[in-house]
Amino acid sequence: MSPKHKIARRAARELQNGQVVNLGIGLPTLLLNHTPEELEIFVHSENGVLGMGPRCPLNQAHPALIDSGGDYIAVRSGAAFFDSALSFALVRGGRLDVAVLGALEVAENGDLANWIIPGKFAPGIGGGMELAQKARRVIVTTTHTTRSGAPKLLRSCTLPVTAKACVHRIITELAVLDPTPQGLLLRELAQGIEAQEVLEKTEARIILPQADPPRF
Amino acid sequence: MSPKHKIARRAARELQNGQVVNLGIGLPTLLLNHTPEELEIFVHSENGVLGMGPRCPLNQAHPALIDSGGDYIAVRSGAAFFDSALSFALVRGGRLDVAVLGALEVAENGDLANWIIPGKFAPGIGGGMELAQKARRVIVTTTHTTRSGAPKLLRSCTLPVTAKACVHRIITELAVLDPTPQGLLLRELAQGIEAQEVLEKTEARIILPQADPPRF
Amino acid sequence: MPPAIDKTTDPATALARIADNSSVMVGGFGSPGTPFTLLAALLRRAPQGLTLIKNDANEQGIGVSTLMEAGCARRFVVSHMGLNSVVIEMMNQGELEVEMHPQGLLAEKIRAAGAGLAGILTDIGLETILRDQRQTMEFQGKTCIVEPSLRADAALVHAARADRWGNLVFEKTARNFNPLMATAADLVIVEALEIVDIGELDPDHIHLPGAFVDHVVPADASLPDYGVLKHHVAQA
Amino acid sequence: MPPAIDKTTDPATALARIADNSSVMVGGFGSPGTPFTLLAALLRRAPQGLTLIKNDANEQGIGVSTLMEAGCARRFVVSHMGLNSVVIEMMNQGELEVEMHPQGLLAEKIRAAGAGLAGILTDIGLETILRDQRQTMEFQGKTCIVEPSLRADAALVHAARADRWGNLVFEKTARNFNPLMATAADLVIVEALEIVDIGELDPDHIHLPGAFVDHVVPADASLPDYGVLKHHVAQA
């Protein structure tokens, strides 16, 4: 299993029956491939749908039915469509239980940077700032390091933040970590990974648990 | 014909094909009895309907279909229902062509007072303030004087205003008058009424036209 | 259907979290859209010191007026109560603290809370006595009134149809403040004249998605309040 | 039906009042809801110096991007343009002035204009670099960003169905910014895939009443833009 699917599979376990969930573009959308059949969640997409299903093949695609990433999707029973103002009223008004987001950087206190690299990458803000700042629970799914091996989990963000102290949990292919004011609390380790590897690949301070952490 | 119906009949002539119109509670609603069959207007009611028709008898009344005064109404072809935020977005956003309102007092510059008599009558604000301030054209329909014969068209309002300089036209059982900074411009006289009577029953300054005004 | 998805319950259970001194929004404009079943159940609980928020006061002996007549309310945020001389008298006697707003601004204040905004800037009422009681600011060369958003502990909402997860459809002029209030309270209780299974409502024509709703209870359609009030019918 | 009620016309007639240097809102989130027929007709007129306002930049060669590629736009107010490297490059080269907003705030700014509000108070972005470019104020003990409402000279709107007076129904995720923009411009032009007679739309399920609409034109359903874009379909 690829690191991304490993992350998605672990992250899918965060979701609980009845929750209203937004899955960011990219890795977070993979969660839908790993949720158990019996889990009933309502997936929100910023462009105005609650109750979206998975991406769909050409013969089922409807030209007026996409997710916020532009991909054609199906909807599940109980879905509803609405305009962009209501879509974000749901987010800012506190009715989004969980947002699963990608990250460029996460700081040990939960600051998230995922929208701009000044001078290099500035495609826009999108819905990410409101999701990060207002979802009741923010879960970051990300590879533990950049492609070149640089740490993404830092003492503090070097990039402009999307929102401060907003991340509740970070899930990487190596570990599950919860931001705290004192550093990242190591909650779980991936199968076959030792804490030492996580320490080496992380710039943020890491708080090790008393006992051996559970494996995922 | 009663003075109220005389006023309503004249006021109905102000409405033009295609207009979006709000008719205040009381006298203004009588306009619907006097509009020509072929006139196509869309009547708005604050409680969330555009395209309302006349009040309806018991056997046609629907418990979920009233106007803002609480009376059961019919709707016409092309009607739409909406929530209270959209209902007033239509008003404040500039899409209400005409509001026909009642008055306690009107000043010669177009100030309108129709919502409160401090210490005596304070049922609330309702939609009147937004209608008066934001309708593209405000027509006041009112008896020329109070029941006790006191003038209602004044140099300036003695009661707290609903909105300032908002009235474009006043229609009473005696005359049609347009507020201006210099006083009320006499535009029309009712059949059998002389300008002298209007002058006597009005406190506001009245600007008489050069020629004999048309009769209604 | 797992219990997490099925939000249907009875009025008493749904209302149990409304404590004394709570703020409670009540849908409806006049009778249509007023949650009569929920109000009757709340009256039986007889909470004290409520702040009630409704477009109007209904009429004597009807709907939200019954709570005020029974002394359950300390404060009333409202736009117009012209059809209820009893509540006007309570206000005049100082038995009820009343805060009045222009109708559309009351709707916007509630909607703003639902949309997570702190407030809105408006020019409505700027040249009236309302200005004296309101905060103003200069913005882009013009004076504006700053209206804070208005949130409540609970909202009581009436819908024509709801599915078991709380997707809502309103009917005719019974929509009014209901979908707005349903976004602006910590506890949102909906009564529906008809409760259907998930999937039976057209996703393009759901007026408010179930994410905003905590409880769904059946409206007691036998209450006369849901019928036509004869004194409001045109005389032939 | 008298002409005053029938708002149907052709795209060229409807667009004639859009002058150089106008501000123009364009509905759509990605392709769904983008008014492709109106954009194609506007491109033929080749206006100069436009300020365009849209959630996104569509994609290269599609929709609002064609106007920017043709040099018709001076300024672009947008939330995200991640699928359009051409427009990003125009921004980076200084050929296009770009103003970016969080997506929901862009929607709220437009809606606020439609509701006749001067602005809204929000805490979104308060702890980010956005704050540096925005007005802040203290309100009820908290710092807020004051966002001015956003109005345009014209709005180009796509609907699934319209009646001849402009009552509108949207479909699935093609609703998005369309009903909001239709309230927030001086000239509102709607293209509809289906135009029906007055009275054929269910009054409870009209998404936007015709009072907000100036012109209704038929969408040219033969344009490939209205179909499924294959590069966005999941690979088997």
Side-chain angles (χ1 to χ4, degrees), chain D residues 102-116:
Chain D
Q103 201 157 63
L105 287 192
L106 181 61
E108 283 292 323
K109 285 164 67 73
I110 293 165
R111 187 199 167 278

Side-chain angles (χ1 to χ4, degrees), chain C residues 19-126:
Chain C
D20 287 352
N21 304 310
S22 293
S23 56
V24 181
M25 288 176 175
V26 181
F29 188 124
S31 281
T34 301
F36 293 113
T37 302
L38 293 172
L39 288 170
L42 187 57
L43 181 63
R44 283 192 291 275
R45 291 192 65 216
Q48 298 297 302
L50 296 182
T51 293
L52 295 171
I53 302 164
K54 188 180 186 290
N55 171 68
D56 56 88
N58 287 121
E59 299 174 44
Q60 183 176 0
I62 298 180
V64 77
S65 189
T66 60
L67 281 169
M68 294 188 277
E69 292 167 35
C72 298
R74 183 182 60 78
R75 200 154 165 275
F76 190 29
V77 181
V78 63
S79 177
H80 200 281
M81 44 195 191
L83 296 178
N84 195 324
S85 55
V86 176
V87 173
I88 291 178
E89 187 59 20
M90 289 178 72
M91 168 180 73
N92 290 342
Q93 295 301 320
E95 296 164 24
L96 187 70
E97 184 188 332
V98 173
E99 177 183 318
M100 285 178 180
H101 293 283
Q103 200 158 66
L105 287 192
L106 181 61
E108 283 293 323
K109 284 164 67 73
I110 293 165
R111 188 201 166 278
L117 305 176
I120 53 174
L121 306 184
T122 179
D123 63 351
I124 295 296
L126 201 55

Side-chain angles (χ1 to χ4, degrees), chain B residues 104-108 111-114 116-118 146 150-162 203, chain C residues 129:
Chain B
L104 295 166
E105 298 176 348
V106 188
E108 60 186 37
D111 290 357
L112 171 66
N114 71 353
I116 191 170
I117 305 174
T146 66
K152 296 179 79 167
L153 311 186
L154 308 176
R155 287 293 291 260
S156 60
C157 290
T158 64
L159 296 170
V161 301
T162 308
E203 189 211 273
Chain C
I129 56 172

Side-chain angles (χ1 to χ4, degrees), chain B residues 15 19 23 51 61 76 83 100 133 163 175:
Chain B
L15 306 181
Q19 282 184 328
L23 304 174
R76 303 178 61 163
D83 67 39
V100 184
Q133 192 174 333

Side-chain angles (χ1 to χ4, degrees), chain B residues 25 46-49 55-59 61-73 81-86 88-89 92 115-116 118-120 122-127 129-130 133-134 160-165, chain C residues 29-33 79-83 88 91-92 100-108 111 122-130 134 171-177 179-180 225-235:
Chain B
I25 296 170
E46 298 95 298
N47 57 325
V49 53
R55 293 177 68 176
C56 61
L58 183 59
N59 64 349
H62 188 292
L65 181 45
I66 64 170
D67 66 14
S68 63
D71 293 327
Y72 295 94
I73 55 167
F81 301 109
F82 33 79
D83 67 39
S84 297
L86 190 83
F88 282 91
R92 290 191 312 268
W115 76 280
I116 191 170
K120 266 193 182 169
I125 305 169
M129 205 171 269
E130 286 150 297
Q133 192 174 333
K134 293 296 183 181
V161 301
T162 308
K164 286 202 172 174
Chain C
F29 188 124
S31 281
S79 177
H80 200 281
M81 44 195 191
L83 296 178
I88 291 178
M91 168 180 73
N92 290 342
M100 285 178 180
H101 293 283
Q103 200 158 66
L105 287 192
L106 181 61
E108 283 293 323
R111 188 201 166 278
T122 179
D123 63 351
I124 295 296
L126 201 55
E127 297 181 315
T128 74
I129 56 172
L130 296 194
R134 278 150 174 91
E171 187 176 20
K172 305 188 193 291
T173 59
R175 193 180 322 181
N176 54 67
F177 282 73
L180 309 172
D225 296 325
Y226 293 114
V228 169
L229 304 177
K230 298 228 171 80
H231 60 285
H232 279 299
V233 175
Q235 302 305 307

Side-chain angles (χ1 to χ4, degrees), chain B residues 93 95, chain D residues 7 9 14-15 17-18 25 38 151-158 165-166 168 170 178-191 208-217:
Chain B
R95 287 288 179 171
Chain D
K7 298 176 181 172
T9 185
L15 294 166
R17 279 166 58 198
I18 299 183
M25 288 177 176
L38 292 173
R151 199 173 168 86
D153 296 321
L156 309 184
V157 167
H158 173 89
W165 191 58
L168 304 184
F170 305 98
N178 279 299
L180 309 172
M181 289 176 167
T183 67
D186 296 340
L187 173 68
V188 175
I189 306 173
V190 174
E191 59 163 59
L208 195 81
F212 293 99
V213 173
D214 295 300
H215 301 295
V216 176
V217 310

